[in-house]
């Protein structure tokens, strides 16, 4: 059985009779890795920019392996900012709009006052008071590490980002904490972050002036006195290993367009649902936590105009629709030929329902294929002069099925950038390589076909694009596809 140890290093020196902190670090590692890492941490202590230590404390402690909590690293997002003012404004905005915390300005304003301690301040989001027992020391989060780092060999230098994401992940998963704000106390490190389980780890590239030693951490707390004890016990004692810590951080282009910046802030588009919601909460999350998170997600969608609502019609399918007491001309439905209300079809449906009932009772593959389905498909095939036909119960399912059936991992799909969502989902389900070409731009398609030269591929396009009503240049598209 592997034995896990906690390894901690603290280096300091005495200046004017007072101990001055130089450097500190910790790891959780397997027994056989302890000598190498201890050496690396000593190396870090001896070669620190802050000077030579006269006291180094190196502590090794056996951990109960069954108590170690394994957590997935928070997803990382980077928000580029050019000045501390802009950075702090972004932090405030995220706190208010994405995390739904009132008094966001006042909380951010506390940050510089909560720094340069050994630990972090815990701020009650309701009273805005600091609630940790020792305001000079703060609460020090400990017993945590990047799960994968042991195998990679020790490094003697501090990696701000990797250390912060380990700490941020532990803090985000602590009971009764809503999130964390952080600015480094390293005068040269101006990037900080705001993190929570909901929003992930949001790096804000500029939060202070270069050269400033002001840094700090605030943990946002909501709860009673017992809750606070639980939070502190978790932060100070619970061993945590964080999985999937990113290797490093992509450098941002210095000359970035505003679009990149907006994208960094925007919630992920897919249904407005931030993917960090998919992270399973550890046992500490309560039922009401979960509802709150869903509520927050909904208000985020609302704010970004991404929340969809159902439009209720009070009339049967026809050229006019009654919605909320108003009669409107219907130009949005697919009932182009008015067939949905055609009396001949309605009569035929009544007769069919009398004979066959109102449901197919199962999927097509199992019990859902009746004689009438096959007869209809045969008739459609005859009408179109094709070998056969198959019906799906929606256009969405048709595109999903056709594309994922025709294509697989080894194929390349060339897809118009404005294709319908069902086509995009079909391409994804096929697991093919997807090459997106510019909307209706046959020259771009031709260029990409020549570049990629797939052995097998599919060109896929809407015929009439649903948002603008424009039409694919079909003859040219066919010609290119055949070539
Ligand atoms: N527990 C609680 N608070 C701590 C801890 C800890 N283990 N370590 C530091 N603090 C507090 C303390 O008040 C420091 O003054 C403050 O946080 C800042 O600590 O993605 O380097 O170690 O590139 O200076 C952010 C990286 C780096 C952003 C943050 O913090 C990125 C950093 P520092
Ligand atoms: Mg520091």
């Amino acid at each position: 059985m592997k034995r896990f140890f906690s390894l901690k290093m603290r280096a300091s020196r005495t200046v004017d009779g007072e101990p001055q902190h130089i450097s500190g670090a910790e790891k959780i590692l397997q027994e056989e890795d302890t000598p190498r890492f201890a050496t690396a941490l000593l190396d870090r202590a001896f070669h620190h920019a802050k000077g030579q230590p006269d006291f180094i404390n190196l502590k090794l402690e056996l951990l109960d392996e069954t108590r170690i909590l394994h957590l997935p690293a928070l997803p990382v997002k980077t928000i580029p900012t050019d000045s501390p003012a802009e950075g702090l404004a972004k932090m405030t905005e995220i706190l208010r709009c994405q995390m739904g915390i009132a008094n966001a300005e006042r909380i951010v304003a506390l940050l510089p006052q909560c720094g340069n301690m050994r630990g972090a301040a815990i701020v009650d989001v309701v009273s805005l008071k600091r609630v940790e027992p020792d305001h000079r020391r703060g609460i020090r989060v400990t017993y945590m590490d990047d799960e994968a780092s042991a195998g990679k060999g020790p490094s003697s230098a501090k990696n701000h980002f990797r250390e912060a994401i380990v700490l941020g992940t532990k803090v985000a998963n602590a009971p009764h904490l809503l999130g964390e704000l952080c600015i480094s106390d390293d005068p040269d490190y101006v990037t900080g972050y705001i993190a929570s389980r909901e929003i992930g780890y949001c790096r804000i590239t500029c939060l202070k002036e270069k050269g400033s030693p002001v840094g700090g951490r605030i943990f946002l707390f909501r709860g009673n006195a017992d809750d606070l004890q639980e939070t502190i016990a978790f932060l100070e004692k619970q061993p945590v290993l964080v999985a999937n810590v990113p290797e490093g951080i992509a450098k941002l282009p210095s000359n970035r367009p505003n679009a990149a910046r907006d994208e960094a802030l925007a919630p992920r588009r897919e249904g407005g649902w931030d993917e960090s919601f998919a992270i399973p909460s550890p046992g500490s999350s309560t039922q009401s936590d979960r509802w709150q998170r869903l509520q927050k997600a909904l208000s985020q969608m609302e704010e970004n105009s991404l929340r969809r609502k159902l439009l209720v019609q009070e009339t049967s399918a026809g050229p006019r629709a009654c919605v909320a007491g108003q009669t409107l001309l219907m130009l949005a439905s697919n009932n182009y030929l008015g067939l949905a209300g055609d009396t001949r079809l309605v009569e035929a449906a009544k007769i069919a329902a009398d004979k066959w009932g109102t449901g197919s009772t199962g999927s097509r593959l199992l019990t859902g294929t009746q004689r009438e389905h096959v007869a209809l498909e045969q008739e459609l095939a005859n009408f179109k002069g094709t070998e056969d036909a198959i019906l799906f119960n929606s256009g969405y399912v048709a595109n999903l099925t056709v594309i994922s059936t025709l294509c697989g991992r080894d194929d390349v799909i060339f897809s118009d950038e404005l294709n319908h969502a069902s086509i995009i989902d079909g391409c994804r389900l096929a697991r093919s390589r997807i090459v997106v070409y510019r909307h209706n731009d046959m020259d771009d398609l031709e260029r990409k076909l020549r570049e990629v030269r797939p052995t097998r591929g599919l060109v896929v396009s809407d015929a009439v694009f649903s948002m603008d009503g424009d039409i694919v240049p079909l003859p040219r598209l066919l010609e290119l596809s055949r070539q």
Side-chain angles (χ1 to χ4, degrees):
M1 227 212 16
K2 301 220 153 110
R3 303 206 313 158
F4 280 85
F5 280 83
S6 154
L7 167 65
K8 293 182 179 172
M9 179 277 288
R10 254 182 92 173
S12 61
R13 65 172 164 184
T14 315
V15 179
D16 301 332
E18 285 280 313
Q20 185 189 66
H21 176 74
I22 292 180
S23 165
E26 69 163 286
K27 305 229 34 92
I28 292 177
L29 30 68
Q30 288 172 20
E31 187 165 359
E32 68 256 34
D33 293 320
T34 52
R36 287 190 300 144
F37 279 86
T39 310
L41 289 187
L42 280 180
D43 192 47
R44 189 196 285 196
F46 277 123
H47 299 100
H48 200 274
K50 282 189 191 159
Q52 276 287 322
D54 56 23
F55 183 83
I56 299 175
N57 190 343
L58 204 61
K59 183 167 96 175
L60 261 176
E61 187 184 350
L62 181 66
L63 294 181
D64 175 354
E65 210 222 304
T66 58
R67 274 195 61 229
I68 300 177
L69 183 62
H70 296 260
L71 295 171
L74 294 176
V76 178
K77 208 161 19 179
T78 301
I79 297 160
T81 54
D82 295 321
S83 67
E86 192 193 353
L88 292 169
K90 280 283 180 244
M91 190 179 252
T92 311
E93 182 186 323
I94 293 173
L95 202 54
R96 187 184 330 111
C97 303
Q98 295 189 32
M99 293 169 64
I101 291 183
N103 291 316
E105 282 89 357
R106 289 174 61 193
I107 292 173
V108 172
L110 290 174
L111 191 52
Q113 303 160 32
C114 296
N116 306 87
M117 308 177 290
R118 295 278 303 133
I122 301 186
V123 171
D124 184 310
V125 292
V126 180
S127 67
L128 300 191
K129 295 225 163 67
R130 286 179 66 172
V131 291
E132 81 278 10
D134 180 347
H135 290 197
R136 274 198 46 207
R137 181 180 167 272
I139 292 294
R140 187 139 182 102
V141 190
T142 176
Y143 296 111
M144 63 197 160
D145 202 359
D146 166 4
E147 183 160 49
S149 72
K152 285 191 193 118
S155 83
S156 53
K158 177 180 168 88
N159 181 324
H160 291 81
F161 168 67
R162 291 176 68 99
E163 285 179 17
I165 193 156
V166 167
L167 188 149
T169 299
K170 179 169 177 186
V171 170
N173 285 284
H176 317 295
L177 288 188
L178 308 178
E180 179 194 357
L181 315 177
C182 170
I183 300 180
S184 175
D185 56 20
D186 181 340
D188 292 325
Y189 207 85
V190 299
T191 298
Y193 66 90
I194 172 168
S196 80
R197 248 182 4 216
E198 283 73 34
I199 64 162
Y201 179 95
C202 295
R203 314 179 63 231
I204 300 179
T205 57
C206 181
L207 274 174
K208 69 171 187 180
E209 300 292 351
K210 219 174 159 75
S212 158
V214 175
R217 271 196 163 93
I218 290 180
F219 302 157
L220 303 166
F221 170 82
R222 184 165 54 204
N224 60 30
D226 288 342
D227 295 337
L228 182 62
Q229 290 318 308
E230 200 188 332
T231 305
I232 293 175
F234 181 94
L235 296 172
E236 293 185 334
K237 309 234 168 69
Q238 172 66 52
V240 165
L241 279 174
V242 178
N244 301 325
V245 173
E247 205 44 66
I249 0 147
K251 275 252 178 324
L252 286 160
S254 52
N255 226 347
R256 57 198 185 255
N258 277 336
R261 175 189 310 213
D262 294 341
E263 194 185 6
L265 244 193
R268 268 152 277 206
R269 275 290 293 284
E270 320 235 327
W273 188 260
D274 194 305
E275 76 188 27
S276 57
F277 281 93
I279 293 179
S281 337
S284 63
S285 128
T286 63
Q287 190 75 2
S288 80
D289 269 357
R290 268 174 237 137
W291 285 116
Q292 269 171 18
R293 269 191 285 159
L294 293 173
Q295 198 54 55
K296 223 180 283 169
L298 279 177
S299 33
Q300 259 176 51
M301 286 179 202
E302 193 90 57
E303 257 163 52
N304 296 306
S305 308
L306 289 172
R307 179 150 181 204
R308 309 282 307 255
K309 288 189 184 122
L310 300 177
L311 200 68
V312 181
Q313 300 175 55
E314 276 130 40
T315 38
S316 63
R320 282 175 205 282
C322 181
V323 177
Q326 252 191 313
T327 301
L328 304 168
L329 184 59
M330 172 57 85
L331 292 169
S333 84
N334 300 332
N335 189 24
Y336 308 114
L337 304 177
L339 290 177
D342 188 288
T343 48
R344 290 163 300 175
L345 287 177
V346 172
E347 282 312 311
K350 281 181 190 163
I351 295 166
D354 275 341
K355 188 162 173 199
W356 296 95
T358 55
S360 74
T361 78
S363 73
R364 286 295 301 271
L365 281 174
L366 297 177
T367 58
T369 300
Q370 290 163 333
R371 219 181 53 213
E372 296 300 278
H373 294 126
V374 182
L376 173 57
E377 286 169 343
Q378 199 51 64
E379 212 172 309
L380 285 169
N382 292 343
F383 177 71
K384 298 286 286 181
T386 56
E387 259 173 68
D388 207 345
I390 186 163
L391 284 170
F392 297 97
N393 49 9
S394 73
Y396 180 86
V397 176
N399 280 341
L400 215 65
T401 312
V402 169
I403 298 171
S404 64
T405 303
L406 291 179
C407 296
R409 281 180 195 279
D410 300 330
D411 299 299
V412 184
I413 301 177
F414 296 84
S415 173
D416 187 290
E417 65 180 341
L418 292 191
N419 271 344
H420 189 264
S422 57
I423 298 180
I424 297 170
D425 287 351
C427 296
R428 286 184 183 154
L429 194 63
R431 293 162 184 270
S432 307
R433 175 173 167 203
I434 301 165
V435 177
V436 176
Y437 62 88
R438 281 204 293 272
H439 175 51
N440 267 347
D441 185 339
M442 294 300 111
D443 295 335
D444 190 41
L445 173 60
E446 182 170 15
R447 210 168 19 250
K448 289 181 168 149
L449 283 166
R450 282 186 202 289
E451 260 167 41
V452 179
R453 294 192 168 277
T455 41
R456 283 198 330 181
L458 178 80
V459 178
V460 60
S461 171
D462 267 37
V464 179
F465 285 84
S466 53
M467 299 314 285
D468 296 318
D470 53 340
I471 295 173
V472 65
L474 194 55
R476 182 84 200 282
L477 182 123
L478 277 175
E479 185 194 314
L480 290 175
S481 307
R482 289 207 181 96
Q483 278 175 20

